[in-house]
Amino acid sequence: KKMATKTKRVSDVKDIEILALNPTVRKFAEVRPTKIAHEQQKHWKRNLTLNRPQNKGSDLLKNFHDVKPTTLTERAAQKEAARCLKCADAPCQHSCPTKLDVKSWITMIEHGNYYGAAKVILSDNPNGLSCGMVCPVSDLCVGSCNLAASEEGAINIGGLQQFACETFMKMNVPPTRDPALPSLEELPESYQAKIALIGAGPASISAATYLARLGYQNITIFEKEQYVGGLSASEIPQYRLPYDVVQWEVGMLKELGVEFLHGKALGVDFTVADLKNDGYEAIFVGIGLPEPKTHDIFEGLDESNGYYSSKSFLPVVSGGSKPGMCGCDEDAAALPQLHGRVVVLGAGDTAFDCATSSFRCGATRVYVGFRRATPEIRAVPEEVEIALHENCELLPYVTPKQVIVRDGKIAAIEFYKTEKNDEGVYETDEDNLLRIKVDYVISAFGSTIKDQPLVDSLKPLQINDWGLAVVDDDTMQSADDPSIFAGGDIFGNGTTVEATNDGKQASWGIHKYLQESHGIAVPEQPQLPLFHSPIDDIDISVEMCGVKFPNPFGLASATPCTAADMIRRAFEEGWGFAVTKTFSLDKDLIGNISPRIVRGSTSGPMYGPGQSSFLNIELISEKTAAYWCKAIHELKQDFPDNVVVASIMCGYIKEDWEELAKMATESGADILELNLSCPHGMGEKGMGLACGQDPSTVTGILQWVKAVTHLPVFCKLTPNITDVRDIAIAAQEGGADGVTAINTISSLMHLRGNSNAWPAVGSEKKTCYGGMSGNATRPVALKMISSTAKQLPGFPIMGTGGVDSADAAVQFLHAGASVVQICSAVQNQDFSVVNDYILGLKTYLYMQAREDLREWDGQHPPKEYGIHNIIGKNIPKFGEYAKERNELAKQYYAEKNILEEENTPYNPVHGVSDIPTVSSQIGRALDRIGNYMDLDPKQQVVALVDEEMCINCGKCYMVCNDSGYQAIKFDAVTHLPEITLDCTGCTLCVSVCPIPDCITMVPREEPYKPYEPIRGLPAGTELVY
């Protein structure tokens, strides 16, 4: 029965309540009293601690949660990595003591290849995670970043390094020696030499790592404490460097066979001379400076009076806050019990560690006093930023005069004021005094070696007047005894990264000394092995048409293959194959116009690398067929394992195709690719696209070529056609062994405000339709590859069009491609990106074989929850709500035994087997790609918001209102979204949410039935206007 409606208006706005906060165009100027503005500012304020700190330091009691401003989530890390310019001869790399290949591993982070990034980092810095957390990057890599010259500022290199290594740490992958090196059994007896390293800090860890990678098998580290890590463990607080990080770095060293002997103190249990007498052929001294530099006014004072040095304070803080570090009972590992006011003396990183640690030990007010001006603080800005954020107070221009003690307790400290004279020298003004009431004083003036028995125990290593070891700057070798080496704190390089580099330098010095002592010459230029793991041993070769590709990554027939020497350099970098720039017979030679290759407008205001598309109106190669045939012959001679594909083009002339195909075959090419798809220029000459849009023409050309060559022949398909499958079928019928999909998409990229196109040629500013390449073409390429693979099962496909990472390459493999061709990604960067792709693909295959990593999405770890999820509170992070969260955190940590926190041990997974092959991934997704009518309408999903991850932006709410179903409420007070029962599961909210995994789609609990709000009017309604 039909129903009639006369009163209901379907276009009237509904859901007025839901739409209350939806953006609208203003029709009048907004009027609001300032008083109300102040109230609203207070309610919505997020930077509560900016300028006016709301959190007193005492709120941080026992809270050793990470507070580093550089720490990044995965979302932030990938966005930050995408900002990096990946500069040539990058200054950041020159400014890193360990000379990290910064641009390479940042590229890998951008592409989600976290193992690859960590491998590159750990290859040059075995303490890569520690350094990512505590490096003074402002003075090093970040201080030299070219983007510091731009408005957006330098890259957060330390945070990116921390993120990559921390993510890799969670994978529990063991290190191994590179099997390309001689096996331990094959090495000469000199590699059995006994090597001793004194101190288990970063310098010794670094030196021992490289020596173990080289193949030395009798390496022993002597450590006086029962824990590892040296000063990194004992004097850098947990909230900057967690102990499980140090354990992981040491754990990887133990995996390489290095032995640790604990409770062995230099000068007490042994001397350097003792080690030499025990047969150690090389000795590395990597101890920290053990004694604090102090001031005479503190003579006779100790902890019972309220006086600490950094050497007596920070190790106790670490022992009481780092789970797994101290094996003693809880009472012995208690934090220092502070209260009231604390003055820290010094202006270095250690002083600021003491200051911020004081709050966590109970202090309510903390001063940092130093004799210089505030701009001349020696501590890195990252450390100072933490201290100021936590409400530490700075006392510049002071130097201690006397400490006042009453009833055996420090009651106050008196300072002289200092002044900087015209020569830049600081002078003490004894007539200008400052007295401050304090309960504790912590001096952090630096460290030294004064203990004569310890100095004597180092002999024959000499200690100079400044308390530092005398060794060569390059080899770290003692001039008094060539078997002794030293580095790190004892050499005056007190930062973790400098100590690490000293150990790295010393490792080659030790290696050279030992081998030459045994009559074996070694290169003058160091050749230290890279980090290696089982992932690196995975075979990613693939066979297609009887041709074996060492890996599935090749250069497309485009600008990266402009000349043969470019292909040579690409093979040297690791590319598996290359397709020559398309060449023709001499009678069809061309000349290019300019400008001809431009950035795509699809990238928006993104400049520099990372362009999502390019447009070109470049033609085929300007070089002769003779040049290319000679080049192919030379390349195959020098790189017999690499695949060279000859790309050729002719008009629809049988004799031309036969002649050119014969030339290319005789050159020694492995495969022929027929370019029947160039979308501009060549088609007007009767070539390229003109030959590739008609099935019968394609079939004929393939028959001509196959008749004169024994090589596999591929037809390069154009996307500029209604259905690419028709051309693929025609190519197969003509005898093609496979197809390449796809060539560039014919496009008009950009029209400027004056109506001129870009690129525009000549004074007339004319243009033509060009070929668009890059990531913007990837969805089209995947569609055409998968549709071809489903239409022609088993038919080989070389995929191209938007491959810029291992993740993207895997998508192409799953869609049916056997190998992938790449161009735009190289235009965005350089040939070295292939290392990213190779490592990323190997890691993907490895992780497929790890049951314990099945919850990961590729290399993307599952989301983790903070303490507010643990205590069951999901409340906003602004205004009074932020204060409530802080109170909850304060209560949580105050009641918690921080030493009972889970200490994640290093638990490497060995013996991973049944690793899938590249071939097993080809076409893996095809059984789930089909027609719309194959989809099950009964399996519906709805959106679910994680309120703890939500940043309250309302993007989900807006898109649902103006592009969806008005199914999301937005609270006017909390700005938390609420999904209503009207949700149809369209997923637009997920698509625009700026926080990954904040909104997920979950199965609908009740059956899905399209009802009136969706239908508009019930089916069968009689239409009445």
Side-chain angles (χ1 to χ4, degrees), residues 179 234 290 365 714 754 831 850 986:
S234 64
R365 194 166 183 180
F714 278 64
N754 59 5
F831 287 144
R850 285 272 301 273
C986 74

Side-chain angles (χ1 to χ4, degrees), residues 66-131:
D66 183 358
V67 296
K68 295 187 296 296
T70 54
T71 298
L72 298 169
T73 62
E74 181 176 22
R75 167 187 175 274
Q78 289 197 290
K79 286 175 70 72
E80 185 70 359
R83 282 206 310 123
C84 177
L85 300 179
K86 294 85 178 179
C87 305
D89 196 31
C92 57
Q93 300 178 181
H94 290 297
S95 300
C96 173
T98 58
K99 198 71 184 297
L100 291 184
D101 188 358
V102 178
K103 74 178 183 66
S104 292
W105 58 257
I106 288 184
T107 299
M108 294 177 184
I109 293 175
E110 179 185 358
H111 296 154
N113 180 12
Y114 307 138
Y115 168 72
K119 173 184 169 69
V120 174
I121 293 166
L122 296 170
S123 290
D124 275 301
N125 185 340
N127 299 303
L129 181 49
S130 290
C131 289

Side-chain angles (χ1 to χ4, degrees), residues 44 71 95 108-109 119 130 143 230 252 342 449 455 571 651 730 804:
W44 300 111
T71 298
S95 300
M108 294 177 184
I109 293 175
K119 173 184 169 69
S130 290
M252 289 199 295
V342 175
I449 292 181
V455 172
F571 284 166
D804 72 333

Side-chain angles (χ1 to χ4, degrees), residues 1000-1015:
T1000 52
M1001 305 305 293
V1002 298
R1004 175 185 285 274
E1005 294 181 357
E1006 70 283 349
Y1008 174 73
K1009 295 180 180 179
Y1011 48 97
E1012 184 173 337
I1014 296 175
R1015 297 297 187 199

Side-chain angles (χ1 to χ4, degrees), residues 724-745:
V724 74
R725 291 175 295 184
D726 295 339
I727 305 302
I729 292 170
Q732 186 186 50
E733 290 175 349
D737 298 275
V739 293
T740 299
I742 56 173
N743 209 322
T744 55
I745 299 174

